[in-house]
Amino acid sequence: MDKSPLEITIDWTGTGSVIRLAGDLDNSSQPDLDAAYEAASQVEGTIVLDFEHAGFIDSTGIAAILRLLRRARTEGRAVSASGLSAHYREVFE
C-alpha cells in the first residue's frame, strides 16, 4: 500500500477552528497534530477535526488523535469531527 503523507491545514471560523486532515495518519503524525492543535487552540471555541480527505489510519494514528482529545478535555475545549468515512466512523465507534 502506498503511503500518502499527512497534510494539515487550519481554518479559523467565527465559532472556533477547523483542522483539515488529508493523507494517512500513523506514527509520524503526532508532531504535526500537536502543532495543529496548538495553532487551532489560539482562538476560543470548538475545534473541528475534518477527516473528509483523510486516508488510512493505523493504531498509532488513532493514539495520536486520542492524545489530542485528552489534551482538549484537560483544557476544557470542545472537539468534534466531520467528514467521517464509513471506515473512520467504525474506528471511532
Side-chain angles (χ1 to χ4, degrees):
M1 173 163 72
D2 291 330
K3 182 173 173 7
S4 176
L6 181 65
E7 295 180 21
I8 300 175
T9 57
I10 303 166
D11 294 318
W12 288 270
T13 68
T15 59
S17 306
V18 179
I19 298 174
R20 299 187 193 287
L21 306 170
D24 298 338
L25 285 92
D26 60 17
N27 64 340
S28 65
S29 304
Q30 187 69 59
D32 293 334
L33 283 170
D34 287 344
Y37 178 86
E38 188 66 34
S41 65
Q42 296 303 305
V43 298
E44 293 296 321
T46 300
I47 294 176
V48 177
L49 298 175
D50 180 356
F51 289 92
E52 183 176 354
H53 299 288
F56 177 78
I57 187 169
D58 66 11
S59 61
T60 60
I62 294 167
I65 295 294
L66 291 175
R67 179 177 163 165
L68 183 150
L69 294 173
R70 277 192 304 271
R71 182 175 175 191
R73 181 178 292 150
T74 299
E75 295 174 0
R77 181 174 296 274
V79 176
S80 65
S82 69
L84 294 171
S85 66
H87 171 72
Y88 274 89
R89 275 193 298 277
E90 182 179 339
V91 166
F92 288 116
E93 287 177 359

